Structure formats: structure tokens, C-alpha cells
Amino acid sequence: MAHVVIDGQMLTVKMSRWERLGAQHRDVTVPLAAVTAVSTTEDPWTIFDGIRAPGTGIPGVIMLGTLRSKGSKTFCAVYRHGPALVITTTDPAFARLIVSASDASEQAAALSAQLDVT
Amino acid sequence: MSPETTSQGSTQHGAGARLASFLRSRWRGAVRFALAITVADGLAILVFGHVAATYFASFCVVALLYFCDFDGGLPQRVAAYGLASILGAAGVVLGTAVAGSIWLSIGITIVIAFALTIARSLFGLVARSVVALQISVLIAVMVPSRWSSLLPSLGAWALGSVIALAAALLVFPRPPRRQISQGLADWADAAARLALVAHHDGDVLAARRQLISAQMQLRTMAMTDQNRPGWIGRRSRLIGEMVEAASSVTAVIATLPAPSNLRVPQDELSSACEEAFLWMAAVLRGDLDQDESPAPAIGHLRHVDLDRSAAWLARVAISSPDQAIRGIEDHRFTRVLSMGASNLVNLVQRLEGITPQEPNLELAVLEDPRRVLSSQLSSESLWFRHGVQAAIAMGAAVWIARSLGFAHGFWVVMSALGLVHVSFTASETQRGALRAAIGTAVGVGIGVVGLQLHGGLLLAAVLLPFTALAAKVLNGNDPLLSQGGYTVFAIVNTLVLGWPARSDILEARLIDVLVGLAVTVVAMTLVYPRGPARLLAICGQALEAALAEARVGLGMLLRVGAEAADDAAEASSALMVALTRFSAARTPFLRQHQDDGPVPGAQLERRARQMMVGATAIGDLAATPDPPANVSAIAGEFADLDAGLGDRVARRLRSVPEELLEHPGASVSALWAAWWFDLGSASLDEPTVDQPSGDR
């Protein structure tokens, strides 16, 4: 399952082969310096905005891939209704990264501490 | 009816014999490959460690001994392996040069996939060698290789080349070709006997039955010895041409009635035929040294025989035009045998590496590689269509694997490569394609699950030679077994090379294979969605059209002389191109349908070849310095496509007997040409011992 890792000065959303196929995208990597905020949401389906292209989406079940809205893109790796990490960036590729995680709050806290951002 | 279908018992016997023949022809190559791949992997890991470069050493052996596996004499094989090794090394450099850019990688993959497929229409060692180039480029592109690792990659490729060459020269170096050679020698013995008894009033019918029987046995042997399409070496191709030539002579002889007592003097030609067939049999059995006993010359005697036939016709026509024409018709028996003898002696000489002194009588398909290749650059060519399919499928596979960042993504490409020559839409080939896809998936399952259960590098290394052995034995067999065998071997091989295996290896390989299969299915469904059966039909229609045009063009040449020579030459050239394309389409069809009995299209191909022989006779007639006054009437007959041309021409000649006396040479040519066209119009079945069509 997709998860967020920090390797050196880069933050990466790592995916399995199935997820890469579904998202039609390789692992997403952004510079740590581009991350401006890390937060969580209890139901990411309420904050989705735009059209998914390319990727795989079934409402309420799976949202894998790129969501395009006016002027920005969001990369999602979300399964069913449940907590997810929301990472906001200034990277030109993606303005937000939304990744399902059962322990989203703990991960957000750890990431924030590591990034020294709030 | 072939021997395999006469009864259930003989069917089983035929299947058993085919299996035994199949295994006999493959176990040597399998042992050679298994040994070489084990040594190559071991040495590569020892020298380079578990890095990407080792893949080049290992897959060099796969390219040279699994895919190419050249046959022929020692110098030919050394040259062929050397060429393939050099092409592969060039592929390593080329692939490394473009690997940094996804789009360049896709572009070069597309170009090479298309070029390789088209090159397979050449059916030669060069065409086979290109597979090394393709494999080395694909590995370099998919790893992806970097300039900094170019030297180790080239070193690994060189190591693989040396090991493969050493194995090819030291481990069972002689190719097993003796069975078909023996069958051809038996056929030549029967043909020599027929030439003898036809001349000395022996039992011609019995001798002809022996010839047909020898031909049926030869055909059975050839069916069990078909090579993978496009991977046929020069020697195999020549043997295949000899089988076809023997088949053609037998089919024509079977249509002829036994000769009567009306004889054109033919002592010398009959003796030369007998001598030529006996010479052929002795050379094929290895009982004759060509330096001590050179090939008999027949070409000059055939020209002399034509003059004698004309003189005999003029002499006999004084008293009886009917008997004169009947005698010329009877003489076809010896003329056909002499053509066959001349052709086959020519082919045997080429097989033994000797340049024939006499030109090939039968106007064969195009041989100039540039013309062969250009004849395939048409949407009517099977190889062109498969080239476009392969290019799109391979390009898409590289794009997906690279753009999604699949580690060891060459598995996606290799899966696509295995299926890319199978069409998915023609009902006849759907089953084969499905079996190949299932074979790949099952191979992945067996290979990965087996190693997951028991694990360990040592086990993988022990399994490597056995899986290699099985893969090579199964290569070219049923698509399921062939793909399954290769996939199990490839999984074990890549596990050995890339140890330690990742925990998600099963999932990764399954996804790679599924993606490769999906890409290929989509490409082949959307691009030129036709299977070999339908493509063969399309090529057949084009050949029929070319036949009709050539016939009209040659009729025009006959009627208005030199003014129509260009049109006739153009029509003949178009016929040759259509025949080349049709023959190229028939080869893969043969491969897929070798157990389905008589090959569709064989009659059409034979008909086209007969048409071309008839064309040479028309050329002779048109070039006659003093053509008969009734030549335009004869030409009119040639423009008519209906059968019975020989009868009509003979009737014309009988109606003006003085023409027979004044222009006997032209009359013989007209009768000869008309008869060949009649053969072309008739649908000649494969003759059987029980019922040669000449006896009906």
C-alpha cells in the first residue's frame, strides 16, 4: 500500500506495482523544501476537487492518480473512507499529496517534526 | 491421404514418430544451451558480482544458443556467431546511448522491432543474428544502463559470446540434418530409376509409384523438421527448397500418362537424368567426394534435346501431324525429369558450398536481399503487418515499464516479445495465442511459487541447467509448452543473476507479465487485426491477380512481339514480387499448421512457379526469328484464361500442318508453354501412391 517516506532531502510517496499501474504514475517525489504543511483528514473524499486524469477511481472505494482542478494538481492514493495524510507543497508538479494511512495523525506528527513545519 | 491419417493406429504411430524425431533433433542443442548458460551465469557473477552487467553475459548466451542456434558448416557457424556477437555488442552501445531518455528508448525499440521483423523475411543468418541486437538493446534500455557501466556491460557481453561460441563448437557441434538428407537421397534413387525405366520401356507405373511413395515419406519427415519461422539458416533453407523441388517434380510427373512408343530421341538426356539423380543421392549420403566426381551437366543437353525434338517433330509431321504432336507431349516425361534433375543438382551444389555452373531453371522467388525487403514493404505483406504490430507493442511496453518506474521492467518487454508474432483476432490463431499467454502466466506461477516455497540461491542455481534444458527442448513446440518452458527458465535465471530476490518478486513478475500480455493483445487487436490464415489468403489473392496479369502480358508479347516486351517484363516482375510475398507468408503458416495435413496455398504457389516456367517458353516462342504465320492465333489462345489451353494450341497446330513442318521449334515451345499453363490452371493435389492423377 502507498506510503510516505523521507529519503535525504526528498519526500516520496512509494507505491506498489499494482498502485503504479492504477495511478498510471511512478513514485511521486517532491523536495522537502517544497513541503509547506502536513495535516490529516478523517474522510479525504470530502476534500477532493477536480477531474481524475490519469488514474483509477471508484467513488467511495479507490482514488489513485492525478486530480486536476483549475490551476493545480493533487496526487491521491486513497482507499475507502478513512484517515489520510494531506501534504501541501509548492512543487510545480503537485500542490497536494493525499495518501491513506490508518495512523495518519501519528505520521503527520512525525513528519511535521522531521520537517519542522506546522 | 497421408500416412498419418490412414488409420487410428498409424496416426498414433505418426505422432510417436514425430515426437521421437522432434526430441532427436533437439536434445543436443538443449544440452549445449543448459551447459553454456550455467557456466556463463557462474563466471559472470564471479567476475562482475550481482550487478546489471551480468544480465548481458547471460542473455548473450540466450540470444546465441536459445534463439539463434546456428547450423551449417564450421566456418559458417563461426562467422554467424561472430556476426551475432558483434551486432549484440553494437546493441549494448546503442541501448546504453539512448537509455537516459525514455522517448529515445521507445524510438529505438520501435525501429529495431520493425526492422527485425521485416529482416526475418530474408530467412538467412543475418536475419537470425539481429535477435542478438534486439535483446542487447532491450536489456540496456530497460535496466537502464548508464555510460559509466558501458565497459562492464560490453565485457559481460563478450564473456557470454566466448562461452556460447565455445559451447557451439565443442558440445555436439554437428547439426542433426541427416534424416531429411536420407529422405531426399531415397527420393533421388526413385527418380533415377524412373528415368531409367521410362527410357528402356520398363514398368513406368511401378517406378512412379515408388517415386510418389518416397515423396510422401520425405514430406512427413519435413513436416516434423520445420524450424521456427524466420530462424532458418542457409543450409536448412536449401534443404527446404530441395524438398519443395522434389515435391513439385513428383506432382507434375503424377499428372502425366505413361509414355507411348512414340519417342523423341532421348538417350543422352535420359542417361544424364539418371546419372544426375544418382549423383545427388550419393552426395547427400556422403558417399561421394565432389572434387573427384563433379556434378553432371544437364543444361547443354536440354538445349540439344529441344533442337532434336523440333527436328523429330518436323520429320514425323510429314506423315502424321497427330503422331508428331503426341510424341512431343509424351516427351514431357523426360523433360520434366531433366528440369528436376538440373534444379536439384544445382541445389545440392549450393548446399555443399559450390557455386553451380548452370543457372537455376526454375525461376525462383526474389533472391536479391534489397528486392526481397522492398517486396515486404507493403500492407499486403505478413511480415510488414507483424513488423508494425511488433513495433507498437514493444514501444508501448517500454513506455509503460519506464514511465511507471518498474524495476527490472524488461520482463514487461520480454513478455510482449514472446507473443508479438501471434495474431489474436483470426479464429484459427486465437487458440495458439491464448495458449502462449497461458503458458507465460503458468510459467511465472511455477517458477516463482516454486522458488518462494523452497527458496535459496543454491536451489535456483541447481535448477538453472534443468530449466534451461527443458526450455530449449520445448522451444518451437506448442505455444503453451514453449512459452511456459521459457518463462520458468527466465525466472530462475533472473533470480540467480539478481539475488537476493525481493520479497514482492511474485507480485512484481505477475504484474510485468500481465502488462506485457495486455499491451500485446491491445496492439494486435487494433493494428492490422488479421491472423496468418487471413494474411495468407490476402497474399494468395494478390498472387492470383498477378498470375492473371502476367498471363495476359505474356499473351500480348506473343501477339505483338517486342512492342509488348516491357509490359510482359513488368507483369513477370509483379508476379515474382507477389510470389515472394506469398512464400514469406506461407512459412509461418506452415509452422503453425504443420500437423493439419496438406498446406493451403501450396497448389497456388506451385501454380505460380509453373506459370513462370511457361513464361520462359513463351519468351522462347516470342523470340523465334521466323514465327509461324498462325502465331497470333496461338497467342489468342494464351489470352484466354480457361483450362484446356494445351488442347487448343495442339488443335491450332494440327489445323495448319505445314506450320509444324516450317516452324517446328516454335511449335514445340508453344506446346510446352501451353501445357505448363494448363498445369497452373488445374488444382494439383498432393499425389498418392494409390492414385496418381495421370492414371485417372
Side-chain angles (χ1 to χ4, degrees):
Chain A
M1 192 167 154
H3 58 284
V4 176
V5 295
I6 293 176
D7 184 9
Q9 293 303 305
M10 307 300 282
L11 180 148
T12 301
V13 179
K14 278 201 170 292
M15 293 180 285
S16 70
R17 259 174 159 82
W18 285 117
E19 288 175 317
R20 276 183 265 173
L21 266 181
Q24 287 294 292
H25 205 288
R26 58 172 59 207
D27 293 346
V28 175
T29 300
V30 295
L32 277 179
V35 177
T36 56
V38 177
S39 60
T40 62
T41 173
E42 285 306 309
D43 188 357
W45 295 89
T46 60
I47 61 170
F48 288 153
D49 179 24
I51 300 166
R52 177 191 42 75
T56 303
I58 301 173
V61 179
I62 185 171
M63 179 63 79
L64 263 176
T66 306
L67 272 178
R68 296 170 188 268
S69 59
K70 194 172 182 182
S72 69
K73 289 189 292 181
T74 301
F75 186 82
C76 307
V78 170
Y79 303 94
R80 299 190 179 278
H81 297 277
L85 276 171
V86 181
I87 300 168
T88 309
T89 81
T90 57
D91 191 80
F94 292 105
R96 285 192 304 175
L97 310 172
I98 305 177
V99 181
S100 282
S102 55
D103 56 347
S105 299
E106 289 83 348
Q107 280 198 43
L111 280 172
S112 296
Q114 206 164 346
L115 295 168
D116 195 25
V117 293
T118 56
Chain B
M1 186 181 288
S2 67
E4 291 81 23
T5 58
T6 50
S7 69
Q8 193 180 356
S10 59
T11 303
Q12 288 166 351
H13 174 74
R18 276 203 298 276
L19 179 64
S21 167
F22 179 80
L23 290 175
R24 261 201 309 277
S25 67
R26 281 166 198 270
W27 72 269
R28 294 177 181 84
V31 170
R32 189 186 308 138
F33 174 58
L35 283 175
I37 196 75
T38 308
V39 172
D41 281 14
L43 275 180
I45 291 170
L46 207 63
V47 175
F48 300 101
H50 287 282
V51 295
T54 55
Y55 285 87
F56 288 102
S58 184
F59 279 91
C60 176
V61 173
V62 172
L64 297 184
L65 295 183
Y66 180 85
F67 287 110
C68 292
D69 202 12
F70 297 109
D71 53 19
L74 182 69
Q76 291 168 331
R77 275 184 296 147
V78 170
Y81 280 113
L83 176 66
S85 298
I86 292 168
L87 282 174
V92 174
V93 177
L94 182 63
T96 304
V98 300
S101 158
I102 289 182
W103 295 110
L104 277 178
S105 299
I106 294 169
I108 206 71
T109 303
I110 287 174
V111 169
I112 286 180
F114 180 77
L116 172 66
T117 310
I118 291 289
R120 288 173 63 186
S121 64
L122 290 174
F123 298 108
L125 295 183
V126 173
R128 294 167 76 192
S129 304
V130 186
V131 73
L133 173 72
Q134 186 177 35
I135 285 181
S136 61
V137 166
L138 285 177
I139 294 174
V141 160
M142 298 308 299
V143 164
S145 286
R146 306 199 182 284
W147 274 117
S148 56
S149 62
L150 180 62
L151 277 181
S153 301
L154 281 173
W157 186 267
L159 177 67
S161 300
V162 170
I163 291 169
L165 183 62
L169 299 183
L170 299 175
V171 184
F172 304 119
R174 285 194 67 79
R177 281 273 158 206
R178 290 290 151 205
Q179 195 187 9
I180 286 201
S181 296
Q182 180 63 42
L184 277 164
D186 291 345
W187 181 91
D189 280 339
R193 176 162 176 72
L194 182 60
L196 177 72
V197 300
H199 178 47
H200 290 102
D201 295 329
D203 188 349
V204 172
L205 295 181
R208 183 166 64 181
R209 276 196 295 274
Q210 283 183 355
L211 182 76
I212 294 170
S213 176
Q215 161 62 26
M216 290 167 68
Q217 288 176 17
L218 181 59
R219 176 61 70 190
T220 305
M221 290 175 194
M223 276 184 169
T224 59
D225 200 52
Q226 286 292 337
N227 270 305
R228 188 176 170 139
W231 311 107
I232 301 171
R234 188 191 67 87
R235 189 176 171 84
S236 307
R237 187 157 49 96
L238 283 170
I239 287 179
E241 284 184 33
M242 290 168 71
V243 172
E244 282 301 317
S247 164
S248 183
V249 171
T250 311
V252 175
I253 285 288
T255 66
L256 293 173
S260 66
N261 293 327
L262 293 165
R263 287 292 158 78
V264 175
Q266 55 185 6
D267 293 9
E268 281 185 83
L269 192 59
S270 291
S271 300
C273 285
E274 185 192 354
E275 186 189 344
F277 284 127
L278 290 174
W279 177 88
M280 171 185 163
V283 171
L284 288 173
R285 288 195 179 103
D287 296 339
L288 199 65
D289 185 350
Q290 288 207 58
D291 294 334
E292 294 172 7
S293 177
I298 300 181
H300 171 67
L301 289 175
R302 283 178 47 77
H303 286 296
V304 171
D305 179 73
L306 205 57
D307 292 340
R308 283 185 183 161
S309 300
W312 184 88
L313 178 78
R315 195 170 66 247
V316 177
I318 295 172
S319 56
S320 172
D322 281 350
Q323 285 195 349
I325 290 173
R326 176 80 197 282
I328 292 298
E329 287 174 344
D330 277 359
H331 189 49
R332 292 179 305 212
F333 213 93
T334 304
R335 294 283 300 175
V336 170
L337 278 177
S338 71
M339 283 183 69
S342 181
N343 260 345
L344 284 158
V345 164
N346 192 313
L347 288 167
V348 172
Q349 284 179 296
R350 288 166 63 194
L351 189 73
E352 297 296 314
I354 296 170
T355 305
Q357 296 300 310
E358 297 182 357
N360 199 353
L361 275 180
E362 190 178 353
L363 296 176
V365 293
L366 299 174
E367 291 192 349
D368 177 1
R370 282 172 301 182
R371 292 191 70 196
V372 172
L373 287 177
S374 66
S375 77
Q376 301 299 332
L377 294 176
S378 155
S379 61
E380 285 173 0
S381 160
L382 179 141
W383 296 108
F384 178 85
R385 286 163 179 259
H386 276 173
V388 174
Q389 288 179 337
I392 291 175
M394 301 299 287
V398 170
W399 175 62
I400 290 174
R402 286 288 301 267
S403 65
L404 297 186
F406 281 10
H408 295 293
F410 58 82
W411 266 96
V412 179
V413 185
M414 291 299 176
S415 301
L417 186 64
L419 297 186
V420 85
H421 294 298
V422 187
S423 170
F424 277 79
T425 50
S427 59
E428 283 190 51
T429 56
Q430 212 163 24
R431 190 183 48 157
L434 185 64
R435 290 178 71 78
I438 293 171
T440 307
V442 169
V444 169
I446 293 173
V448 175
V449 172
L451 289 167
Q452 287 275 312
L453 287 176
H454 302 290
L457 176 60
L458 183 63
L459 177 65
V462 169
L463 283 178
L464 180 67
F466 295 103
T467 55
L469 190 85
K472 182 65 181 170
V473 167
L474 294 173
N475 182 25
N477 203 326
D478 177 277
L480 192 151
L481 295 174
S482 186
Q483 282 294 123
Y486 177 75
T487 307
V488 171
F489 154 72
I491 283 183
V492 173
N493 191 33
T494 48
L495 275 175
V496 170
L497 296 172
W499 201 264
R502 295 188 350 244
S503 58
D504 63 343
I505 188 79
L506 170 62
E507 185 184 336
R509 288 295 92 84
L510 275 175
I511 294 171
D512 289 347
V513 168
L514 287 176
V515 170
L517 296 181
V519 165
T520 314
V521 170
V522 170
M524 291 191 164
T525 305
L526 296 181
V527 184
Y528 290 133
R530 291 188 175 92
R534 285 189 63 192
L535 286 173
L536 187 65
I538 290 170
C539 295
Q541 286 164 8
L543 182 54
E544 290 273 15
L547 271 171
E549 281 185 22
R551 192 165 186 165
V552 172
L554 292 168
M556 289 283 290
L557 172 65
L558 204 53
R559 217 171 329 177
V560 297
E563 295 166 36
D566 288 346
D567 290 343
E570 198 175 316
S572 285
S573 175
L575 176 61
M576 201 178 271
V577 169
L579 184 55
T580 304
R581 215 173 271 155
F582 180 77
S583 297
R586 210 159 75 79
T587 306
F589 193 90
L590 257 175
R591 175 68 199 139
Q592 290 194 353
H593 298 269
Q594 58 180 296
D595 295 329
D596 295 354
V599 180
Q603 293 169 0
L604 181 58
E605 185 168 353
R606 191 176 298 145
R607 182 175 159 189
R609 289 176 183 277
Q610 286 159 358
M611 167 89 188
M612 299 185 98
V613 179
T616 59
I618 284 195
D620 291 346
L621 184 56
T624 306
D626 54 343
N630 64 349
V631 72
S632 62
I634 296 172
E637 301 291 354
F638 276 91
D640 185 349
L641 297 178
D642 289 340
L645 181 60
D647 288 343
R648 296 203 304 273
V649 169
R651 209 178 306 127
R652 288 271 179 193
L653 291 172
R654 281 194 197 97
S655 67
V656 194
E658 55 272 22
E659 293 289 351
L660 281 177
L661 301 175
E662 291 176 19
H663 306 284
S667 301
V668 169
S669 292
L671 284 168
W672 183 242
W675 176 64
W676 278 107
F677 280 112
D678 270 351
L679 276 182
S681 299
S683 287
L684 293 187
D685 293 327
E686 284 284 324
T688 61
V689 175
D690 298 334
Q691 196 176 31
S693 52
D695 293 349
R696 288 168 192 166

